[in-house]
Amino acid sequence: MVAQITASNLKSEEYTTLALQQIEEVNIIDTKKALADKISNQESKVSTTSIARYGKPKIISSPESFNTDLFSKGFFYGISVMVIIINIICLFIFSDKVYGYFAFLVATITTLIFTTDGLISVFFKSIALHSTRIETTLLVLGTISASLFSSKFLNSKEVYPRLRSITIPLLYLAGMLTVLFWFIDNPTFMTAASIISFVIILSYFTVGIKLFKTKNYAKFYIVGFIIPLFFNIDYFLLGGMGFNFFGTEANHIKISVVIQMLLLTYAIVYRMQEIKDESILRHIEMKIFLERQDAMSRDNLAQMMRDVYLENLIMQYDLDGIEIKLLQYISEDKSNEKIAKKLSITPNEVEEITKDLYNKLEISEAIKEDHRMLEAQPDYLYN
């Protein structure tokens, strides 16, 4: 009897132990599921942080979900990388900084869109927690690159030299606000930095508008910037403030930026050729100007010599007023009719005065003297 009770107790203890083990396993499974759900929610929250303020949540929590959307995203990023590489190569070939500035601009825009797509959470999950700060930083860097490119492309230093004194302090201010936003979680800093950034870009856009009629490459600049600029203002600035007038989405920005990249890449090449043509034309005009100045100098010298010669004749032969004027007009190779009009006399009177002046100056004797000197020259000088 005792043995039966003991066996029964042992069996009961085994059942109890087995039940406790099963309960513990269930708790572990539930805990793992809860932890997995929590991690998934955190990742989804992180991936949507940069877009949530625009009302367009995007959940990309794993490389697999990235691969499913690879085709739509890969087209944009592939073209961006291609444009960057082409401009870097052109920078080394042509040694023109505008290619480097444009490559920098495309790189910052691409990285900014990469962040707003939520793709940064796939590769850098810890950094993705600060996606809004990263976006603001990239926006300011994009403004710096756009300013460098626009200044070089439009040659604003020569056209509007005072513009730099306005944009440079604004860039410093935007940078300071961005740094403050990293340490102080206040959306006001982000909004202020975004507003300043777009004000700077709009200032260079205004320069392009002013050059629109005179420079053909400025037309490419305006056409290339106008649509992406308004889309970016609507998406990043107004969207961050809770407004969305045009309903701009990331795909709209991508399409406009692709068109902008291709158009401005061609515009840079076109600008190089136009600047080269302007340089050639400038050299030709300078050459013509110098030749004209040289001719004018020779004419002035010849005129001065004629004036001195006439003055000597006047003093030597005691010429009167009409004779002086007649001699001056003859030196200017004027006809008798024109001289008559100048002196208010008839052409016949001009002819008579000319004969008298001819005799008075003893020109015939001077010519005869020249003939005698010519005949006195040795023959070997002409052989």
Side-chain angles (χ1 to χ4, degrees):
M1 184 70 177
V2 174
Q4 290 178 354
I5 293 172
T6 303
S8 177
N9 290 335
L10 290 173
K11 197 171 185 179
S12 176
E13 288 178 0
E14 289 178 359
Y15 285 139
T16 302
T17 303
L18 182 61
L20 290 173
Q21 289 177 353
Q22 291 177 350
I23 292 171
E24 186 176 355
E25 289 177 358
V26 170
N27 290 335
I28 291 173
I29 292 172
D30 292 339
T31 303
K32 288 182 178 180
K33 286 183 178 180
L35 183 60
D37 292 339
K38 185 177 181 180
I39 293 172
S40 178
N41 291 333
Q42 287 179 348
E43 290 178 349
S44 299
K45 185 177 180 180
V46 167
S47 64
T48 58
T49 300
S50 60
I51 309 299
R53 57 185 173 135
Y54 308 118
K56 307 176 184 67
K58 296 183 179 181
I59 301 174
I60 301 176
S61 57
S62 65
E64 289 76 12
S65 60
F66 169 67
N67 291 331
T68 58
D69 202 23
L70 182 62
F71 179 78
S72 61
K73 299 181 187 303
F75 176 76
F76 170 76
Y77 295 113
I79 291 181
S80 299
V81 172
M82 180 183 67
V83 171
I84 292 171
I85 293 173
I86 290 174
N87 280 274
I88 291 175
I89 293 173
C90 291
L91 172 64
F92 290 103
I93 293 175
F94 300 108
S95 300
D96 192 345
K97 291 182 180 179
V98 70
Y99 287 104
Y101 293 149
F102 187 61
F104 181 31
L105 174 60
V106 174
T108 52
I109 292 175
T110 303
T111 309
L112 177 60
I113 295 176
F114 185 85
T115 305
T116 57
D117 271 340
L119 301 179
I120 195 170
S121 63
V122 177
F123 303 98
F124 307 101
K125 293 183 179 180
S126 59
I127 298 178
L129 294 170
H130 307 285
S131 57
T132 306
R133 293 181 175 87
I134 294 173
E135 286 180 16
T136 306
T137 304
L138 290 172
L139 183 61
V140 174
L141 287 176
T143 303
I144 295 173
S145 60
S147 300
L148 292 171
F149 169 74
S150 301
S151 177
K152 184 69 175 178
F153 186 85
L154 298 173
N155 199 19
S156 62
K157 291 181 181 179
E158 295 183 6
V159 181
Y160 299 100
R162 294 183 180 179
L163 184 62
R164 293 188 65 192
S165 61
I166 299 173
T167 56
I168 290 178
L170 289 176
L171 284 172
Y172 277 113
L173 180 59
M176 291 174 60
L177 291 170
T178 304
V179 172
L180 288 173
F181 185 50
W182 274 92
F183 293 98
I184 303 173
D185 190 11
N186 189 341
T188 304
F189 295 133
M190 176 195 71
T191 304
S194 301
I195 292 173
I196 294 172
S197 297
F198 284 111
V199 167
I200 295 170
I201 297 174
L202 284 171
S203 64
Y204 283 102
F205 188 77
T206 304
V207 175
I209 293 175
K210 291 183 178 180
L211 296 175
F212 190 86
K213 292 183 179 180
T214 57
K215 302 292 183 181
N216 288 327
Y217 56 83
K219 297 176 183 178
F220 286 104
Y221 177 86
I222 295 298
V223 174
F225 262 90
I226 186 168
I227 296 178
L229 180 59
F230 282 109
F231 277 168
N232 279 278
I233 290 174
D234 184 54
Y235 189 78
F236 290 103
L237 180 59
L238 300 180
M241 298 170 64
F243 302 100
N244 195 353
F245 292 106
F246 302 107
T248 305
E249 297 181 356
N251 287 333
H252 298 152
I253 295 179
K254 290 178 184 178
I255 294 172
S256 64
V257 169
V258 167
I259 296 173
Q260 179 190 38
M261 288 188 295
L262 298 178
L263 185 62
L264 290 181
T265 299
Y266 171 77
I268 294 172
V269 178
Y270 180 87
R271 170 185 170 274
M272 283 187 62
Q273 184 61 42
E274 186 168 337
I275 290 177
K276 183 179 179 181
D277 294 340
E278 288 179 355
S279 178
I280 294 173
L281 180 61
R282 194 180 299 114
H283 287 175
I284 293 173
E285 290 177 348
M286 288 180 65
K287 186 177 180 180
I288 293 173
F289 174 78
L290 292 174
E291 290 177 352
R292 184 183 299 170
Q293 292 296 318
D294 183 54
M296 290 175 63
S297 299
R298 290 198 301 268
D299 292 342
N300 291 336
L301 181 60
Q303 183 64 38
M304 289 174 62
M305 293 178 66
R306 283 197 298 269
D307 292 341
V308 172
Y309 179 69
L310 290 175
E311 187 176 352
N312 291 334
L313 288 177
I314 292 168
M315 294 176 63
Q316 182 178 353
Y317 295 99
D318 192 22
L319 303 178
D320 59 22
I322 294 179
E323 291 174 337
I324 293 171
K325 290 182 179 180
L326 179 62
L327 192 60
Q328 182 179 357
Y329 293 147
I330 292 174
S331 68
E332 294 174 359
D333 199 26
K334 293 185 182 296
S335 63
N336 287 346
E337 288 76 15
K338 291 183 179 180
I339 294 174
K341 290 181 180 180
K342 292 283 186 180
L343 298 177
S344 300
I345 57 178
T346 63
N348 292 331
E349 290 176 333
V350 171
E351 185 65 24
E352 291 295 329
I353 298 172
T354 303
K355 289 180 181 179
D356 294 338
L357 185 60
Y358 183 88
N359 295 326
K360 191 174 184 178
L361 296 176
E362 300 176 346
I363 293 177
S364 61
E365 292 297 325
I367 292 174
K368 290 178 182 179
E369 182 64 22
D370 291 338
H371 278 291
R372 285 194 294 269
M373 291 178 63
L374 189 61
E375 290 174 356
Q377 296 292 335
D379 293 337
Y380 66 84
L381 293 176
Y382 305 100
N383 295 329

